[in-house]
Amino acid sequence: AGLWQSRGTRNLTIVALCYLVVLSLNAHKEFRYILPILPIGCWLAGPAVARFCTKSTSSDHNQTPKRQLRVVRLLLLIVPNV
Protein backbone atom coordinates (compact mmCIF):
# COMPACT_ATOMS: atom_id res chain seq x y z
CA ALA A 1 0.00 0.00 0.00
CA GLY A 2 1.00 3.64 0.12
CA LEU A 3 3.85 4.51 -2.21
CA TRP A 4 3.94 1.04 -3.73
CA GLN A 5 0.45 1.20 -5.30
CA SER A 6 1.59 2.93 -8.47
CA ARG A 7 4.30 1.41 -10.64
CA GLY A 8 5.65 4.84 -11.59
CA THR A 9 5.83 5.93 -7.97
CA ARG A 10 7.53 2.67 -7.02
CA ASN A 11 10.16 3.14 -9.72
CA LEU A 12 10.70 6.77 -8.74
CA THR A 13 11.16 5.77 -5.10
CA ILE A 14 13.70 3.11 -6.05
CA VAL A 15 15.65 5.56 -8.22
CA ALA A 16 15.69 8.20 -5.45
CA LEU A 17 16.83 5.66 -2.84
CA CYS A 18 19.56 4.33 -5.13
CA TYR A 19 20.73 7.89 -5.77
CA LEU A 20 20.93 8.52 -2.02
CA VAL A 21 22.80 5.27 -1.40
CA VAL A 22 25.37 6.07 -4.09
CA LEU A 23 25.84 9.58 -2.72
CA SER A 24 26.20 8.20 0.80
CA LEU A 25 29.08 6.02 -0.32
CA ASN A 26 30.94 9.06 -1.68
CA ALA A 27 33.65 10.37 0.68
CA HIS A 28 33.04 13.99 -0.35
CA LYS A 29 29.49 14.81 0.76
CA GLU A 30 27.81 18.11 0.03
CA PHE A 31 24.17 19.11 0.31
CA ARG A 32 24.16 20.46 -3.25
CA TYR A 33 24.42 16.91 -4.56
CA ILE A 34 21.06 16.09 -2.98
CA LEU A 35 19.30 19.17 -4.39
CA PRO A 36 18.29 17.46 -7.67
CA ILE A 37 16.18 14.88 -5.84
CA LEU A 38 14.58 17.20 -3.27
CA PRO A 39 11.50 17.81 -5.47
CA ILE A 40 11.10 14.04 -5.84
CA GLY A 41 11.34 13.61 -2.07
CA CYS A 42 8.75 16.33 -1.51
CA TRP A 43 6.42 14.74 -4.05
CA LEU A 44 6.82 11.32 -2.45
CA ALA A 45 6.24 12.78 1.05
CA GLY A 46 3.16 14.74 -0.05
CA PRO A 47 0.52 12.05 0.56
CA ALA A 48 1.83 11.32 4.06
CA VAL A 49 1.91 15.02 4.97
CA ALA A 50 -1.59 15.53 3.57
CA ARG A 51 -2.87 12.55 5.56
CA PHE A 52 -1.16 13.93 8.67
CA CYS A 53 -2.70 17.38 8.22
CA THR A 54 -6.24 16.30 7.33
CA LYS A 55 -6.68 13.31 9.60
CA SER A 56 -9.75 13.78 11.74
CA THR A 57 -11.73 11.52 14.00
CA SER A 58 -15.13 11.71 15.63
CA SER A 59 -13.44 12.55 18.94
CA ASP A 60 -11.20 15.25 17.45
CA HIS A 61 -11.52 17.43 20.56
CA ASN A 62 -9.81 14.69 22.60
CA GLN A 63 -6.98 14.38 20.06
CA THR A 64 -6.17 18.12 19.84
CA PRO A 65 -3.26 18.15 22.36
CA LYS A 66 -1.67 15.08 20.76
CA ARG A 67 -2.12 16.59 17.31
CA GLN A 68 -0.58 19.89 18.39
CA LEU A 69 2.38 18.03 19.85
CA ARG A 70 2.87 16.17 16.54
CA VAL A 71 2.75 19.45 14.61
CA VAL A 72 5.34 21.00 16.95
CA ARG A 73 7.60 17.95 16.54
CA LEU A 74 7.25 18.12 12.76
CA LEU A 75 8.10 21.83 12.73
CA LEU A 76 11.12 21.24 14.97
CA LEU A 77 12.37 18.73 12.43
CA ILE A 78 11.73 20.92 9.40
CA VAL A 79 12.58 24.48 10.44
CA PRO A 80 16.26 23.97 11.40
CA ASN A 81 16.89 22.38 8.01
CA VAL A 82 15.47 25.24 5.95
mmCIF file of all heavy atoms in Angstrom, residues 46-70:
data_model
loop_
_atom_site.group_PDB
_atom_site.id
_atom_site.type_symbol
_atom_site.label_atom_id
_atom_site.label_comp_id
_atom_site.label_asym_id
_atom_site.label_seq_id
_atom_site.Cartn_x
_atom_site.Cartn_y
_atom_site.Cartn_z
ATOM 1 N N GLY A 46 4.421 14.002 -0.018
ATOM 2 C CA GLY A 46 3.158 14.740 -0.050
ATOM 3 C C GLY A 46 1.952 13.995 0.487
ATOM 4 O O GLY A 46 1.224 14.527 1.323
ATOM 5 N N PRO A 47 1.697 12.758 0.045
ATOM 6 C CA PRO A 47 0.522 12.050 0.559
ATOM 7 C C PRO A 47 0.552 11.823 2.081
ATOM 8 O O PRO A 47 -0.470 11.953 2.745
ATOM 9 C CB PRO A 47 0.554 10.712 -0.191
ATOM 10 C CG PRO A 47 1.320 10.999 -1.432
ATOM 11 C CD PRO A 47 2.329 12.034 -1.057
ATOM 12 N N ALA A 48 1.727 11.538 2.617
ATOM 13 C CA ALA A 48 1.827 11.322 4.064
ATOM 14 C C ALA A 48 1.589 12.623 4.827
ATOM 15 O O ALA A 48 0.908 12.635 5.854
ATOM 16 C CB ALA A 48 3.185 10.746 4.422
ATOM 17 N N VAL A 49 2.125 13.729 4.321
ATOM 18 C CA VAL A 49 1.914 15.023 4.968
ATOM 19 C C VAL A 49 0.447 15.426 4.878
ATOM 20 O O VAL A 49 -0.132 15.923 5.847
ATOM 21 C CB VAL A 49 2.836 16.092 4.342
ATOM 22 C CG1 VAL A 49 2.512 17.479 4.871
ATOM 23 C CG2 VAL A 49 4.297 15.753 4.605
ATOM 24 N N ALA A 50 -0.169 15.204 3.730
ATOM 25 C CA ALA A 50 -1.590 15.528 3.572
ATOM 26 C C ALA A 50 -2.449 14.697 4.523
ATOM 27 O O ALA A 50 -3.375 15.223 5.143
ATOM 28 C CB ALA A 50 -2.027 15.300 2.137
ATOM 29 N N ARG A 51 -2.128 13.420 4.651
ATOM 30 C CA ARG A 51 -2.870 12.548 5.563
ATOM 31 C C ARG A 51 -2.676 13.015 7.008
ATOM 32 O O ARG A 51 -3.607 13.032 7.804
ATOM 33 C CB ARG A 51 -2.394 11.111 5.380
ATOM 34 C CG ARG A 51 -3.295 10.078 5.952
ATOM 35 C CD ARG A 51 -2.946 8.651 5.538
ATOM 36 N NE ARG A 51 -1.520 8.353 5.518
ATOM 37 C CZ ARG A 51 -0.802 8.149 4.408
ATOM 38 N NH1 ARG A 51 -1.367 8.223 3.231
ATOM 39 N NH2 ARG A 51 0.486 7.875 4.463
ATOM 40 N N PHE A 52 -1.474 13.441 7.331
ATOM 41 C CA PHE A 52 -1.164 13.930 8.675
ATOM 42 C C PHE A 52 -1.955 15.194 8.984
ATOM 43 O O PHE A 52 -2.475 15.359 10.075
ATOM 44 C CB PHE A 52 0.336 14.209 8.786
ATOM 45 C CG PHE A 52 0.745 14.812 10.094
ATOM 46 C CD1 PHE A 52 0.938 14.008 11.198
ATOM 47 C CD2 PHE A 52 0.946 16.169 10.211
ATOM 48 C CE1 PHE A 52 1.326 14.560 12.403
ATOM 49 C CE2 PHE A 52 1.321 16.731 11.408
ATOM 50 C CZ PHE A 52 1.517 15.920 12.514
ATOM 51 N N CYS A 53 -2.044 16.084 8.006
ATOM 52 C CA CYS A 53 -2.696 17.380 8.224
ATOM 53 C C CYS A 53 -4.214 17.306 8.179
ATOM 54 O O CYS A 53 -4.878 18.150 8.763
ATOM 55 C CB CYS A 53 -2.202 18.386 7.193
ATOM 56 S SG CYS A 53 -0.468 18.796 7.402
ATOM 57 N N THR A 54 -4.786 16.341 7.476
ATOM 58 C CA THR A 54 -6.238 16.297 7.325
ATOM 59 C C THR A 54 -6.887 15.179 8.116
ATOM 60 O O THR A 54 -8.089 15.016 8.049
ATOM 61 C CB THR A 54 -6.620 16.128 5.845
ATOM 62 O OG1 THR A 54 -6.055 14.915 5.355
ATOM 63 C CG2 THR A 54 -6.138 17.300 5.030
ATOM 64 N N LYS A 55 -6.126 14.423 8.848
ATOM 65 C CA LYS A 55 -6.677 13.308 9.605
ATOM 66 C C LYS A 55 -7.587 13.838 10.703
ATOM 67 O O LYS A 55 -7.194 14.660 11.507
ATOM 68 C CB LYS A 55 -5.546 12.481 10.212
ATOM 69 C CG LYS A 55 -5.996 11.199 10.845
ATOM 70 C CD LYS A 55 -4.798 10.405 11.312
ATOM 71 C CE LYS A 55 -5.246 9.089 11.888
ATOM 72 N NZ LYS A 55 -4.116 8.330 12.393
ATOM 73 N N SER A 56 -8.818 13.370 10.708
ATOM 74 C CA SER A 56 -9.754 13.784 11.739
ATOM 75 C C SER A 56 -10.550 12.576 12.194
ATOM 76 O O SER A 56 -10.798 11.645 11.443
ATOM 77 C CB SER A 56 -10.687 14.876 11.232
ATOM 78 O OG SER A 56 -11.484 14.369 10.196
ATOM 79 N N THR A 57 -10.943 12.608 13.444
ATOM 80 C CA THR A 57 -11.731 11.519 14.003
ATOM 81 C C THR A 57 -13.001 12.107 14.610
ATOM 82 O O THR A 57 -13.148 13.320 14.733
ATOM 83 C CB THR A 57 -10.940 10.764 15.100
ATOM 84 O OG1 THR A 57 -10.619 11.693 16.148
ATOM 85 C CG2 THR A 57 -9.655 10.187 14.537
ATOM 86 N N SER A 58 -13.890 11.237 15.013
ATOM 87 C CA SER A 58 -15.129 11.710 15.630
ATOM 88 C C SER A 58 -14.860 12.362 16.975
ATOM 89 O O SER A 58 -15.588 13.230 17.412
ATOM 90 C CB SER A 58 -16.109 10.551 15.794
ATOM 91 O OG SER A 58 -15.535 9.544 16.599
ATOM 92 N N SER A 59 -13.798 11.945 17.654
ATOM 93 C CA SER A 59 -13.442 12.550 18.942
ATOM 94 C C SER A 59 -12.234 13.459 18.755
ATOM 95 O O SER A 59 -11.249 13.357 19.457
ATOM 96 C CB SER A 59 -13.155 11.467 19.974
ATOM 97 O OG SER A 59 -12.060 10.672 19.526
ATOM 98 N N ASP A 60 -12.324 14.373 17.788
ATOM 99 C CA ASP A 60 -11.201 15.254 17.454
ATOM 100 C C ASP A 60 -10.833 16.172 18.614
ATOM 101 O O ASP A 60 -9.678 16.525 18.785
ATOM 102 C CB ASP A 60 -11.530 16.071 16.210
ATOM 103 C CG ASP A 60 -10.293 16.695 15.591
ATOM 104 O OD1 ASP A 60 -9.212 16.090 15.730
ATOM 105 O OD2 ASP A 60 -10.411 17.770 14.982
ATOM 106 N N HIS A 61 -11.821 16.544 19.435
ATOM 107 C CA HIS A 61 -11.520 17.431 20.556
ATOM 108 C C HIS A 61 -10.625 16.741 21.586
ATOM 109 O O HIS A 61 -9.879 17.391 22.293
ATOM 110 C CB HIS A 61 -12.810 17.952 21.204
ATOM 111 C CG HIS A 61 -13.652 16.859 21.797
ATOM 112 N ND1 HIS A 61 -14.493 16.087 21.022
ATOM 113 C CD2 HIS A 61 -13.767 16.417 23.066
ATOM 114 C CE1 HIS A 61 -15.105 15.210 21.811
ATOM 115 N NE2 HIS A 61 -14.682 15.383 23.047
ATOM 116 N N ASN A 62 -10.683 15.421 21.679
ATOM 117 C CA ASN A 62 -9.808 14.687 22.595
ATOM 118 C C ASN A 62 -8.405 14.532 22.024
ATOM 119 O O ASN A 62 -7.452 14.350 22.766
ATOM 120 C CB ASN A 62 -10.381 13.302 22.898
ATOM 121 C CG ASN A 62 -11.683 13.375 23.664
ATOM 122 O OD1 ASN A 62 -11.921 14.337 24.374
ATOM 123 N ND2 ASN A 62 -12.507 12.363 23.493
ATOM 124 N N GLN A 63 -8.260 14.588 20.719
ATOM 125 C CA GLN A 63 -6.977 14.382 20.057
ATOM 126 C C GLN A 63 -6.203 15.679 19.850
ATOM 127 O O GLN A 63 -5.055 15.642 19.427
ATOM 128 C CB GLN A 63 -7.192 13.695 18.705
ATOM 129 C CG GLN A 63 -7.834 12.332 18.806
ATOM 130 C CD GLN A 63 -6.938 11.317 19.492
ATOM 131 O OE1 GLN A 63 -5.727 11.402 19.416
ATOM 132 N NE2 GLN A 63 -7.544 10.362 20.172
ATOM 133 N N THR A 64 -6.805 16.837 20.141
ATOM 134 C CA THR A 64 -6.172 18.116 19.841
ATOM 135 C C THR A 64 -4.799 18.271 20.489
ATOM 136 O O THR A 64 -3.853 18.646 19.807
ATOM 137 C CB THR A 64 -7.103 19.283 20.230
ATOM 138 O OG1 THR A 64 -8.316 19.135 19.500
ATOM 139 C CG2 THR A 64 -6.480 20.614 19.899
ATOM 140 N N PRO A 65 -4.605 17.995 21.792
ATOM 141 C CA PRO A 65 -3.257 18.148 22.364
ATOM 142 C C PRO A 65 -2.224 17.233 21.713
ATOM 143 O O PRO A 65 -1.097 17.670 21.448
ATOM 144 C CB PRO A 65 -3.449 17.798 23.837
ATOM 145 C CG PRO A 65 -4.892 18.029 24.102
ATOM 146 C CD PRO A 65 -5.593 17.703 22.822
ATOM 147 N N LYS A 66 -2.601 16.003 21.420
ATOM 148 C CA LYS A 66 -1.672 15.085 20.761
ATOM 149 C C LYS A 66 -1.330 15.580 19.358
ATOM 150 O O LYS A 66 -0.188 15.519 18.932
ATOM 151 C CB LYS A 66 -2.259 13.679 20.676
ATOM 152 C CG LYS A 66 -2.332 12.972 21.996
ATOM 153 C CD LYS A 66 -2.888 11.581 21.814
ATOM 154 C CE LYS A 66 -3.017 10.868 23.141
ATOM 155 N NZ LYS A 66 -3.551 9.516 22.976
ATOM 156 N N ARG A 67 -2.327 16.069 18.666
ATOM 157 C CA ARG A 67 -2.116 16.586 17.311
ATOM 158 C C ARG A 67 -1.211 17.812 17.337
ATOM 159 O O ARG A 67 -0.307 17.945 16.509
ATOM 160 C CB ARG A 67 -3.455 16.917 16.675
ATOM 161 C CG ARG A 67 -3.361 17.326 15.246
ATOM 162 C CD ARG A 67 -4.757 17.694 14.730
ATOM 163 N NE ARG A 67 -4.703 17.955 13.339
ATOM 164 C CZ ARG A 67 -5.142 17.138 12.409
ATOM 165 N NH1 ARG A 67 -5.700 16.006 12.744
ATOM 166 N NH2 ARG A 67 -5.056 17.455 11.153
ATOM 167 N N GLN A 68 -1.425 18.707 18.281
ATOM 168 C CA GLN A 68 -0.582 19.889 18.393
ATOM 169 C C GLN A 68 0.857 19.495 18.703
ATOM 170 O O GLN A 68 1.791 20.090 18.157
ATOM 171 C CB GLN A 68 -1.120 20.825 19.473
ATOM 172 C CG GLN A 68 -2.405 21.513 19.084
ATOM 173 C CD GLN A 68 -3.005 22.313 20.214
ATOM 174 O OE1 GLN A 68 -2.622 22.169 21.376
ATOM 175 N NE2 GLN A 68 -3.965 23.163 19.879
ATOM 176 N N LEU A 69 1.039 18.498 19.530
ATOM 177 C CA LEU A 69 2.384 18.027 19.850
ATOM 178 C C LEU A 69 3.058 17.449 18.607
ATOM 179 O O LEU A 69 4.241 17.691 18.357
ATOM 180 C CB LEU A 69 2.327 16.978 20.963
ATOM 181 C CG LEU A 69 3.657 16.435 21.445
ATOM 182 C CD1 LEU A 69 4.524 17.553 21.999
ATOM 183 C CD2 LEU A 69 3.442 15.370 22.507
ATOM 184 N N ARG A 70 2.300 16.708 17.783
ATOM 185 C CA ARG A 70 2.866 16.166 16.542
ATOM 186 C C ARG A 70 3.254 17.282 15.578
ATOM 187 O O ARG A 70 4.302 17.215 14.930
ATOM 188 C CB ARG A 70 1.876 15.209 15.869
ATOM 189 C CG ARG A 70 1.764 13.876 16.575
ATOM 190 C CD ARG A 70 0.932 12.935 15.782
ATOM 191 N NE ARG A 70 -0.450 13.471 15.761
ATOM 192 C CZ ARG A 70 -1.448 12.907 15.141
ATOM 193 N NH1 ARG A 70 -1.272 11.808 14.457
ATOM 194 N NH2 ARG A 70 -2.653 13.424 15.173
#
